[in-house]
Amino acid sequence: MIISMSEQATEQEIDHVIQRIEECGFQAHVVRGTERTIIGAVGSGERRSELMALRAAPGVADIVPIAHPFKLVGRQIKQGQTIVNVRGVPIGGPDIVMIAGPCSVESRDQLLETARAVRAAGATMLRGGAYKPRTSPYDFQGLGLEALELLREAREETGLPIVTEVMSEADVDTVAEYADMLQVGARNMQNYALLRRIATTKHPVLLKRSPAATVKEWLLAAEYLLAGGNPNVVLCERGIKTFVTEMRNTLDLAAVALAKELSHLPVIVDPSHGTGRRSLIPAASRAAVAIGADGLIVEVHPCPERALSDGEQSLDFAGFAQLTASLSEPVRKLAVVTSEVAMSTT
Ligand code: PEP
Ligand code: MN
């Protein structure tokens, strides 16, 4: 149920509505807009009719049911764009956020060199896996706590906020102590116990789309975080499984536009996992920006051929610098086409 308060509603009237929603066994989620306050009553209680009766309460302008299953991430409750602030870096605002770094943190030198190089090339956040979800139990599993310490050191030196994956409920508090943003990996998108636990931290969350999830399932996974009290969620498209075998995954860019149409949450794109091929990262990145992504997360390694994970889809430092320099190209190309058209009509 969405309860729209009138523009003149007082704080007391808003508090009264929140109290009634809670008395009826629902959760109240308050969205304060520039003109009016909207209160979402979310839950599966049986006292819906009592909520409808709030139409008569002072300060209430209108009450409508929420049509979508994703009640808090959907646009019905919030028309504007959510901006998630990660230690001073806004995601969802006018600037494209560029997150870069190694797939896995492998050593102090590897991480610090990469952090310096990506910052110099224009990255605004640093990524690096400490706990790695590997398909084979015999592959490198990440340095765990040692990697978290190194990430902290890299942030101290470069000022770049850090994002790293948390794989298990047991690690949530530890990872939250070190990281500025918690990554939920594609394999854990539907680990609802993990999502509920992460929601209690209020830390910004990067929620990757499962390779087998529909857009609806992805948004409902985000709904777990918002319903659990954490509104700081950024969605990340990282490719899905299709019949295509030439690429590791199929980067579903239309899903980025759809997620942005359906939700107020920021959406970023991971062209590294999305393609699995270094050569495709620049084109996929420019396409992601053109379709409306709020940012990119790209794997970068000092020497990709020696990487302990995902070397084939990692850029080296020069490649990453070229990528950031090339990101304004679609805009320039569109400008050229426009001026050609203009010239031919005069
Ligand atoms: C990663 O970011 O290195 C990673 C494992 O991503 P995903 O969960 O999308 O596979
Ligand atoms: Mn990776």
Side-chain angles (χ1 to χ4, degrees):
M1 226 58 97
I2 290 185
I3 299 158
S4 303
M5 302 301 291
S6 71
E7 284 177 38
Q8 297 77 29
T10 63
E11 281 305 315
Q12 232 179 351
E13 289 165 346
I14 294 171
D15 286 346
H16 172 70
V17 170
I18 295 171
Q19 195 192 331
R20 283 294 297 136
I21 290 171
E22 289 173 353
E23 276 170 14
C24 292
F26 289 78
Q27 277 182 336
H29 291 266
V30 182
V31 179
R32 287 177 195 275
T34 44
E35 276 154 26
R36 60 175 70 221
T37 295
I38 306 267
I39 307 172
V42 180
S44 52
E46 281 159 19
R47 295 167 67 184
R48 244 162 224 288
S49 53
E50 285 180 60
L51 287 183
M52 287 311 282
L54 279 173
R55 250 183 228 284
V60 172
D62 196 15
I63 302 187
V64 287
I66 306 182
H68 282 298
F70 24 89
K71 299 178 187 308
L72 301 174
V73 312
R75 285 216 173 264
Q76 215 180 336
I77 198 164
K78 185 173 178 184
Q79 311 273 302
Q81 167 73 43
T82 288
I83 298 179
V84 175
N85 189 306
V86 188
R87 199 181 257 261
V89 174
I91 308 183
D95 293 335
I96 297 288
V97 67
M98 176 57 96
I99 308 172
C103 176
S104 302
V105 176
E106 298 169 6
S107 70
R108 185 165 183 272
D109 284 352
Q110 174 245 18
L111 184 67
L112 292 181
E113 268 180 47
T114 309
R116 289 175 199 131
V118 299
R119 193 187 66 159
T124 41
M125 278 183 63
L126 178 68
R127 64 149 289 150
Y131 299 91
K132 293 304 302 177
R134 303 308 300 279
T135 304
S136 163
Y138 308 116
D139 286 340
F140 177 61
Q141 303 286 309
L143 297 179
L145 196 55
E146 189 186 339
L148 295 178
E149 297 275 1
L150 294 172
L151 285 164
R152 177 183 275 176
E153 188 181 342
R155 178 184 64 213
E156 270 162 25
E157 193 195 303
T158 61
L160 296 175
I162 52 182
V163 55
T164 193
E165 177 163 354
V166 56
M167 290 208 309
S168 91
E169 286 169 72
D171 294 330
V172 169
D173 287 335
T174 310
V175 178
E177 205 184 304
Y178 288 84
D180 302 302
M181 185 177 217
L182 304 175
Q183 178 170 320
V184 176
R187 294 160 180 82
N188 266 324
M189 187 203 86
Q190 285 173 307
N191 181 342
Y192 300 120
L194 180 64
L195 296 176
R196 280 188 207 277
R197 181 69 185 79
I198 288 176
T200 64
T201 69
K202 314 283 184 281
H203 247 58
V205 182
L206 184 62
L207 179 65
K208 289 197 145 195
R209 179 184 179 190
S210 156
T214 62
V215 171
K216 183 176 162 184
E217 288 163 339
W218 186 24
L219 295 179
L220 283 172
E223 186 79 18
Y224 269 86
L225 293 164
L226 272 74
N230 189 340
N232 304 310
V233 178
V234 175
L235 301 166
C236 177
E237 160 60 31
R238 47 75 76 207
I240 53 170
K241 293 267 182 242
T242 65
F243 58 86
V244 173
T245 53
E246 293 85 354
M247 288 171 285
R248 181 174 178 187
N249 291 293
T250 297
L251 188 61
D252 187 7
L253 286 179
V256 174
L258 181 59
K260 286 194 66 79
E261 190 175 294
L262 296 173
S263 171
H264 52 83
L265 296 175
V267 185
I268 70 165
V269 167
D270 177 344
S272 303
H273 294 85
T275 63
R277 287 179 180 236
R278 180 179 313 126
S279 65
L280 299 179
I281 293 175
S285 300
R286 292 193 295 270
V289 173
I291 209 159
D294 296 294
L296 296 163
I297 179 164
V298 180
E299 291 187 330
V300 179
H301 194 280
C303 181
E305 68 172 63
R306 289 176 188 262
L308 297 183
S309 60
D310 289 349
E312 63 290 353
Q313 63 185 41
S314 299
L315 296 173
D316 61 14
F317 298 163
F320 181 69
Q322 274 169 19
L323 168 67
T324 53
S326 79
L327 279 176
S328 57
E329 259 179 39
V331 179
R332 260 186 254 132
K333 277 184 190 154
L334 285 174
V336 171
V337 172
T338 315
S339 68
E340 274 168 6
V341 172
M343 272 161 55
S344 65
T345 53
T346 51

